[in-house]
Amino acid sequence: MKFQAITDNFQEANVDALAVAVFKDENTGSGILKDLNELIGGHIASIIKSEEFKGESGDTAYFLFESKGKNKANRLLLVGAGDRADYKTSDVGVVAGTAARNLRKRNVKSFALAPRFDGDSLDVATNAAAGVVASQFELDKYKSSDKNDKKIDTFALYIEGGREKDLKDALTRGEIIGDSMNFARDLANEPPNVLHPTEMAKRAEKMAKEVGLKCEILDEGKMEKLGMGSLLSVTKGSAQPAKFIILRYEPKKSTGKKGELLALVGKGITFDTGGISIKPSEGMDAMKYDMSGGATVIGTMRAIGLLKPTVPVLGIVAAVENMPGSAATRPSDIVTASNGKTVEILNTDAEGRLVLADAVVYAEKQGATRIVDMATLTGAVIIALGDLHTAVLGNDQELVDEIIECGADVGENFWQLPIGKEYSKMIKSDIADIKNIGGGRKAGTIIGAVFIEEFIKDAKWAHLDIAGTAWADDAKPHRSKGPTAIAIRTLLKLVEKSQ
Ligand code: BES
Ligand code: ZN
Ligand code: ZN
């Protein structure tokens, strides 16, 4: 896709279509809406009055008109932007994505958007480009017909009086973010017969080469040497060998505090049958997305490799398939993790925490001082928060607050759940140090988190349970259904702010 910044003469943009953000309760008395209304013969005023288009987020209205004079475009799309007072930079991404999806369906190849945002224009450009790119993701990779072959090839962003060169760079940053989200979504969408741990590792390796990250893959032999008995217990029932993926970004010149290292750690269960504690068959197919935390890490690291922030970041994915083969771990087995703790496995379906245990120990041994782990860890979080908020829990309130703030900046919602001694007591085992489930169904998401906490030594740590937010059951005007690449933008903001 080509990106352009235009800073004057919006109507004369050399594109097929113009798109403009329209707020609730607007009129066409002045400014850009007045000009556009005149351009298309008064139809904007009519449609606003008719109440057919209210300017709510997701609303659209489309017009064909006769272009005159220097104007090239002959289509106009109004895109609802909601209340003007609530309009944030992240909403620009939604507006841009809504326009791009709508216009693509109409076979429009190029469009210019007037986002009508008064704040930081570079942030607007980044959000707009990311929104456009992410909006183009479709689930049709494995269709041999009915494929979406319509493509937007040019996106022009109109910022009155902006500086073209700076805007162009900001658009490129947005393109990187959108592409990296789509890269992660492609991983999460892959069927588990294609994307087993070995393939996930291969894709991470190839990506790392392309964007200049260091990549190391540990095989089961290496993991055994490192004493990762907790992680390895999950792979025992699978014919697919587990892979431990390590991605490193090191800036040429670091501006971060000396000795500080942020690690992103992802659950990469390429398929979760539940193991011997097998899941019911209904809905089991959804468990191909159980590597979404890992996909988020890989997608975020891809963007980091290209955006080149001035702080180092370590990315780790524990890629494992959870199957009930004859060598599978049994409920009541006891294993030893790489920090020496013994774990009584009472439910083999609580496997995400088992792989993350050894992954966070490894991260800290590599020098991580802040660890953020991502995992589709519990069904309980879906009951608690649905698909609207990602749960965040952690041992450092500052880090948790930062994640919530970064999320608000980029339009991703987080909600904190508590942890604490009383919860930790619930995973004490009668015969080992800890067990991998609590008693009964109480506080499922918290129990998952406090289990992982047992493996954190000194690091500041936050855990994101993305089980409810990593997959969208329905499409929205600005994005397809399916994998959402949740948390990539938040983590990139976190990295940006730690520079
Ligand atoms: N991958 C699942 C979590 C999950 C379940 C995500 C349903 C989306 C929908 C995880 O490995 C799991 O099975 N967790 C169990 C934990 C329980 C056995 C303590 C769960 O949530 O039921
Ligand atoms: Zn499970
Ligand atoms: Zn799982």
Side-chain angles (χ1 to χ4, degrees):
M1 205 182 295
K2 275 202 307 206
F3 294 86
Q4 294 168 359
I6 41 178
T7 53
D8 54 15
N9 299 332
F10 176 59
Q11 291 188 15
E12 292 168 19
N14 186 20
V15 288
D16 301 336
L18 303 174
V20 60
V22 180
F23 302 104
K24 271 162 72 178
D25 304 319
E26 275 212 271
N27 60 54
T28 53
S30 62
I32 193 168
L33 282 196
K34 177 168 185 275
D35 298 345
L36 290 169
N37 189 44
E38 279 163 16
L39 179 73
I40 71 164
H43 293 305
I44 299 181
S46 316
I47 199 158
I48 290 177
K49 267 186 218 126
S50 77
E51 298 238 325
E52 230 177 77
F53 174 89
K54 292 207 180 98
E56 300 272 12
S57 175
D59 280 359
T60 47
Y62 179 70
F63 304 91
L64 274 167
F65 59 93
E66 216 169 298
S67 63
K68 290 178 225 122
K70 287 189 187 157
N71 300 340
K72 164 145 191 291
N74 63 349
R75 303 128 196 248
L76 174 70
L77 186 73
L78 309 185
V79 186
D83 283 310
R84 187 189 275 272
D86 301 335
Y87 194 46
K88 302 190 296 292
T89 35
S90 59
D91 297 323
V92 173
V94 175
V95 164
T98 300
R101 272 182 89 73
N102 189 298
L103 292 170
R104 183 190 62 184
K105 273 190 219 127
R106 303 173 192 280
N107 217 3
V108 165
K109 299 287 173 217
S110 58
F111 77 101
L113 171 71
R116 304 182 68 214
F117 190 87
D118 296 327
D120 180 343
S121 56
L122 299 184
D123 230 15
V124 166
T126 300
N127 275 282
V132 168
V133 173
S135 78
Q136 303 298 292
F137 180 81
E138 292 293 343
L139 295 177
D140 58 3
K141 180 165 178 182
Y142 288 96
K143 283 189 185 286
S144 60
S145 61
D146 293 336
K147 247 179 150 55
N148 162 61
D149 42 19
K150 295 176 184 155
K151 293 260 167 333
I152 299 279
D153 59 34
T154 304
F155 170 59
L157 182 71
Y158 171 65
I159 303 275
E160 201 180 351
R163 283 184 34 154
E164 253 174 67
K165 165 78 176 72
D166 295 345
L167 286 171
K168 197 80 208 315
D169 290 347
L171 286 167
T172 302
R173 286 198 294 278
E175 181 187 15
I176 290 169
I177 294 169
D179 277 338
S180 299
M181 288 171 67
N182 291 347
F183 185 85
R185 291 156 99 190
D186 181 54
L187 293 175
N189 189 46
E190 286 291 19
N193 59 330
V194 172
L195 198 97
H196 37 64
T198 304
E199 178 64 17
M200 196 169 184
K202 265 193 204 151
R203 297 214 189 166
E205 222 167 6
K206 179 164 178 276
M207 176 281 288
K209 224 176 243 152
E210 282 164 10
V211 308
L213 298 171
K214 284 191 192 143
C215 179
E216 193 184 342
I217 311 290
L218 307 187
D219 61 16
E220 290 183 355
K222 284 242 177 71
M223 289 187 251
E224 206 135 344
K225 278 203 187 111
L226 292 167
M228 296 185 171
S230 183
L231 185 156
L232 287 167
S233 74
V234 179
T235 192
K236 289 227 163 94
S238 171
Q240 293 292 343
K243 301 284 167 183
F244 195 83
I245 304 167
I246 305 152
L247 296 162
R248 287 174 213 277
Y249 169 75
E250 279 146 16
K252 289 214 178 75
K253 232 183 166 183
S254 180
T255 58
K257 278 194 213 121
K258 220 171 170 226
E260 288 267 303
L261 175 63
L262 172 68
L264 310 176
V265 178
K267 168 178 174 181
I269 301 294
T270 59
F271 195 72
D272 182 11
T273 62
I276 296 299
S277 314
I278 199 158
K279 289 180 181 295
S281 53
E282 197 184 317
M284 196 198 275
D285 55 292
M287 285 302 125
K288 71 169 185 175
Y289 96 133
D290 212 20
M291 35 56 71
S292 295
T296 290
V297 171
I298 295 173
T300 306
M301 292 305 291
R302 178 187 184 277
I304 287 172
L306 293 167
L307 294 170
K308 303 193 189 347
T310 57
V311 288
V313 186
L314 173 66
I316 288 175
V317 181
V320 189
E321 188 181 54
N322 188 20
M323 298 286 277
S326 63
T329 291
R330 296 145 288 242
S332 78
D333 279 1
I334 294 181
V335 297
T336 306
S338 46
N339 68 344
K341 280 201 183 177
T342 54
V343 180
E344 183 187 14
I345 299 175
L346 289 178
N347 190 319
T348 63
D349 196 12
E351 84 299 340
R353 59 201 73 181
L354 293 172
V355 304
L356 287 170
D358 282 321
V360 297
V361 169
Y362 186 86
E364 213 165 337
K365 282 187 180 157
Q366 293 296 304
T369 50
R370 288 194 301 168
I371 298 176
V372 182
D373 82 71
M374 272 77 41
T376 47
L377 205 74
T378 64
V381 81
I382 310 175
I383 308 292
L385 301 175
D387 57 5
L388 297 176
H389 282 82
T390 296
V392 53
L393 309 92
N395 65 2
D396 183 77
Q397 195 55 42
E398 220 175 290
L399 177 60
V400 169
D401 286 341
E402 238 185 300
I403 288 170
I404 295 170
E405 257 169 52
C406 291
D409 281 355
V410 302
E412 295 182 329
N413 299 322
F414 291 86
W415 197 263
Q416 185 176 9
L417 296 180
I419 57 169
K421 279 203 193 86
E422 294 301 313
Y423 290 111
S424 299
K425 268 191 205 158
M426 293 161 73
I427 54 167
K428 286 244 169 306
S429 160
D430 291 339
I431 55 169
D433 294 335
I434 50 173
K435 53 186 180 181
N436 76 331
I437 53 172
R441 286 152 57 90
K442 283 183 190 164
T445 302
I446 297 172
I447 295 296
V450 297
F451 183 90
I452 300 166
E453 191 193 13
E454 293 286 333
F455 298 87
I456 303 286
K457 205 166 138 230
D458 302 311
K460 297 172 178 174
W461 156 79
H463 159 68
L464 313 181
D465 194 332
I466 60 173
T469 49
W471 193 272
D473 291 332
D474 301 299
K476 287 208 171 150
H478 67 284
R479 59 142 173 80
S480 78
K481 66 177 179 180
T484 60
I486 190 72
I488 291 188
R489 284 173 301 162
T490 300
L491 294 169
L492 290 174
K493 195 45 104 185
L494 186 71
V495 170
E496 187 188 317
K497 283 193 178 170
S498 16
Q499 294 187 97

